[in-house]
């Protein structure tokens, strides 16, 4: 078995920035470079793919570096996305999101201990030497014995921390129920937040992570193509989502973490989800993919399509507003640009769309929606972010355009890789020219 923390980081890897000819976009401004180079999902003797073992090592190393910076001795992780990021292990992630039935204890130095479903331990034993049976302490499993079972669980956690010599250090936790949290406190452990070091580790992407984000985008684009071809009068929102799911799953995607597909009047306001409504001639079809793709990497983009040949002036105006905002925003993203500078220089958009605009200007993307979550600075209670954009961050830029009381709204969103030379589009799905012309 491999102690991943004992392996030094690989020699610096260079991520080649695409050199694309600068051509005019649909709005006449210089187009943002678009990177079509994508590795296959399978390594072969003739073509190298993503190095998954290097990825596993690098992600653990990044998290442990952030733990040491914050003087955190260990992390106790129950969130399936955090577990997967630190170990690469993923077992029934949707079910495990609400059922605390597997977890990981990761030290700031050394290899994690994986606590797994008894019958699924073999999934982790191939990669880790210390894999143990998980406790089930939640009331839904243990009923009236929840307090007793959680105490037994917490005692085993403390025992491992003692063996590592960090039982007096800070222990980061992410998602726990009342019994679990109380039991750890009962052991006298010093608890802190696990999200801080893990999210900090995710911000800058490694070359393998960039490769997987491209793969996820390619899968998503293929599924979007099938969805767009299926748009016609009489098709239901459920059917359209099913078309997307079919292609996504067939190409190695995993699931979507929302159902934000809406048509016609349901596109305004945003946040209706797919239902039994049938598409009618002239309807807009808006979709936010929120897709978890190969190896758990997300493709979070949005497109809006037209059912029919001729768009209304209101539909075109909304589409143009969303398109121009996201394109201009993407063009501004450079390493060294501070969050404060961007907040003062956000693209303009018609006042009519302010009331129902989207919650965020942009957010990070990787194995989940990630920091920075960048709000509109004039939103009540908006968090003022510190920091700056850095090389090899990947973010989703987005805008929703819908006038209050109108039938239609437009949602557009794209993924942008911030390279040393500036922004590069990772998402390549075409825009709806009948709405943009």
């Amino acid at each position: 078995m491999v102690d991943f923390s004992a392996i030094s980081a690989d020699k610096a890897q260079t991520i080649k920035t695409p050199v694309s000819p600068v051509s005019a976009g649909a709005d006449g401004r210089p187009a943002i470079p678009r990177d079509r180079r994508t590795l296959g999902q399978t390594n072969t003797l003739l073509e190298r793919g993503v190095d998954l073992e290097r990825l596993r090592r690098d992600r653990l190393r990044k998290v442990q570096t952030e733990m040491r910076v914050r003087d955190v001795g260990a992390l106790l992780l129950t969130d399936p996305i955090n577990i997967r990021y630190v170990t690469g292990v993923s077992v029934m992630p949707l079910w495990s999101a609400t059922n605390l039935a597997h977890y990981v204890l990761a030290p700031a130095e050394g290899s994690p201990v994986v606590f797994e479903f008894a019958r699924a331990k073999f999934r982790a034993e191939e990669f880790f030497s210390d894999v143990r049976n998980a406790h089930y302490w939640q009331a839904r499993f243990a009923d009236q014995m929840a307090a007793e079972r959680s105490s037994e669980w917490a005692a085993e956690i403390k025992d491992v921390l003692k063996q590592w010599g960090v039982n007096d250090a800070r222990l980061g936790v992410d998602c726990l129920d009342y019994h679990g949290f109380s039991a750890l406190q009962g052991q006298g452990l010093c608890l802190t937040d696990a999200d801080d070091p893990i999210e900090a580790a995710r911000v800058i992407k490694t070359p393998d992570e960039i490769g997987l984000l491209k793969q996820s985008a390619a899968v998503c684009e293929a599924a979007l193509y099938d969805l767009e071809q299926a748009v016609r009068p009489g098709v239901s929102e459920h059917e359209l989502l099913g078309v997307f799911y079919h292609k996504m799953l067939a190409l190695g995607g995993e699931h979507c973490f929302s159902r934000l597909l809406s048509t016609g009047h349901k596109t305004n306001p945003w946040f209706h989800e797919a239902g039994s409504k049938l598409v009618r001639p002239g309807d807009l079809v808006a979709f936010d993919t929120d897709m978890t793709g190969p190896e758990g990497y997300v493709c979070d983009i949005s497109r809006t399509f037209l059912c029919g040949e001729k768009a209304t002036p209101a539909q075109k105006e909304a589409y143009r507003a969303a398109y121009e905002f996201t394109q201009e925003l993407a063009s501004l993203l450079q390493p060294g640009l501070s969050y404060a500078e961007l907040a003062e220089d956000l693209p303009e958009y018609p006042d009519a769309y302010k009331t129902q605009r989207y919650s965020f200007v942009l957010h990070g993307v990787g194995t989940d929606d990630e920091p920075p979550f960048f709000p509109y600075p004039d939103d009540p209670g908006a968090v003022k972010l510190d920091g700056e954009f850095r090389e090899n961050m990947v973010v989703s830029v987005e805008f929703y355009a819908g006038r209050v009381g109108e039938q239609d709204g437009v949602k557009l969103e794209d993924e942008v890789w911030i390279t040393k030379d500036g922004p590069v589009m990772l998402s390549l799905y075409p825009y709806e020219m009948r709405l943009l012309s």
Side-chain angles (χ1 to χ4, degrees):
M1 298 296 173
V2 180
D3 180 352
F4 294 112
S5 66
I7 300 176
S8 60
D10 290 344
K11 293 181 180 179
Q13 306 159 52
T14 301
I15 305 181
K16 296 180 179 179
T17 303
V19 179
S20 302
V22 178
S23 57
D27 55 356
R29 67 164 60 93
I32 299 168
R34 300 158 72 81
D35 191 357
R36 299 192 311 275
R37 296 173 301 178
T38 307
L39 297 171
Q41 293 183 33
T42 304
N43 287 314
T44 71
L45 290 174
L46 296 177
E47 291 186 346
R48 291 183 179 179
V50 171
D51 188 331
L52 296 176
E53 287 309 308
R54 181 175 62 194
L55 175 71
R56 194 194 307 271
R57 295 194 302 267
D58 284 349
R59 294 196 309 201
L60 176 60
R61 175 177 52 80
K62 289 198 297 177
V63 171
Q64 290 178 322
T65 296
E66 297 295 340
M67 291 168 65
R68 292 191 292 271
V69 167
R70 292 160 178 77
D71 195 26
V72 174
L75 298 179
L76 177 58
L77 306 175
T78 59
D79 185 318
I81 295 175
N82 289 342
I83 290 172
R84 189 174 193 172
Y85 191 84
V86 169
T87 66
V89 176
S90 179
V91 179
M92 297 188 295
L94 297 182
W95 187 83
S96 300
T98 55
N99 297 286
L100 306 179
H102 79 148
Y103 45 94
V104 165
L105 194 58
E109 304 276 357
S111 189
V113 177
V114 179
F115 297 84
E116 193 51 85
F117 309 107
R119 295 294 182 266
K121 285 168 59 179
F122 70 93
R123 299 279 299 276
E125 286 171 341
E126 185 173 350
F127 306 103
F128 295 94
S129 58
D130 197 344
V131 181
R132 310 183 186 189
N133 288 343
H135 287 265
Y136 305 96
W137 72 86
Q138 282 179 290
R140 67 189 64 176
F141 300 125
D143 201 3
Q144 73 276 8
M145 297 182 67
E148 178 183 341
R149 292 286 172 84
S150 61
S151 294
E152 295 170 355
W153 164 75
E156 182 175 10
I157 296 300
K158 185 172 183 179
D159 184 59
V160 176
L161 296 175
K162 281 183 178 179
Q163 294 173 26
W164 288 343
V166 295
N167 55 297
D168 293 326
R170 296 200 296 168
L171 173 66
V173 297
D174 51 12
C175 301
L176 285 173
D177 66 336
Y178 166 79
H179 291 290
F181 191 81
S182 299
L184 293 175
Q185 286 185 318
Q187 291 291 329
L189 297 172
C190 179
L191 304 182
T192 189
D193 184 24
D195 255 7
D196 188 25
I198 289 184
E199 295 296 346
R202 286 177 172 153
V203 168
I204 305 301
K205 303 302 186 284
T206 69
D208 294 311
E209 289 184 292
I210 298 294
L212 286 170
L213 284 165
K214 291 180 182 180
Q215 287 184 7
S216 186
V219 170
C220 187
E221 289 154 3
L224 271 176
Y225 177 82
D226 282 6
L227 184 154
E228 183 178 13
Q229 299 306 304
V231 172
R232 66 185 187 280
V235 68
S236 74
E237 294 170 347
H238 284 318
E239 287 180 277
L240 290 175
L241 192 60
V243 168
F244 183 89
Y245 254 80
H246 174 79
K247 180 63 75 172
M248 172 192 69
L249 294 171
L251 296 180
E254 298 187 4
H255 61 267
C256 296
F257 46 89
S258 76
R259 293 167 51 88
L260 290 171
L261 186 152
S262 56
T263 68
H265 71 279
K266 288 177 63 179
T267 61
N268 188 350
W270 188 242
F271 283 114
H272 285 284
E273 293 192 283
S276 59
K277 180 189 173 302
L278 303 184
V279 174
R280 302 188 68 187
D283 275 356
L284 296 184
V285 177
F287 182 40
D288 187 335
T289 60
D290 284 340
M291 188 198 87
T292 299
E295 301 298 334
Y297 278 83
V298 166
C299 183
D300 186 6
I301 65 176
S302 300
R303 288 293 184 268
T304 299
F305 307 112
L306 173 66
C307 179
E309 294 300 322
K310 188 174 182 180
T312 68
Q315 290 171 335
K316 287 186 174 184
E317 178 195 276
Y319 198 96
R320 171 67 64 174
Y323 174 81
E324 290 187 347
F325 185 93
T326 53
Q327 293 297 302
E328 184 176 348
L329 176 59
S331 71
L332 296 174
L333 302 179
Q334 303 278 343
L337 174 70
S338 73
Y339 298 154
E341 288 174 318
L342 180 62
E344 293 179 358
D345 193 30
L346 287 176
E348 295 182 355
Y349 58 91
D351 287 341
Y353 299 121
K354 181 176 180 179
T355 301
Q356 297 190 145
R357 68 189 180 190
Y358 198 70
S359 308
F360 296 102
V361 174
L362 61 79
H363 61 79
V365 65
T367 53
D368 197 0
D369 286 353
E370 299 173 354
F373 289 90
F374 201 104
Y376 287 91
D378 59 347
D379 269 353
V383 176
K384 188 176 181 179
L385 299 178
D386 293 323
E388 64 181 24
F389 294 97
R390 297 155 62 192
E391 182 181 350
N392 291 327
M393 290 175 67
V394 178
V395 300
S396 287
V397 298
E398 54 190 322
F399 191 83
Y400 172 74
R403 290 175 179 262
V404 175
E406 294 284 346
Q407 290 191 64
D408 299 301
V410 170
K411 179 72 160 52
L412 294 180
E413 181 178 14
D414 276 296
E415 288 185 354
V416 183
W417 169 25
I418 302 174
T419 76
K420 63 182 178 60
D421 298 318
V424 172
M425 283 290 187
L426 288 188
S427 49
L428 306 180
Y429 199 82
Y431 303 104
E432 175 63 272
M433 296 309 297
R434 289 172 296 183
L435 289 164
L436 195 56
S437 61

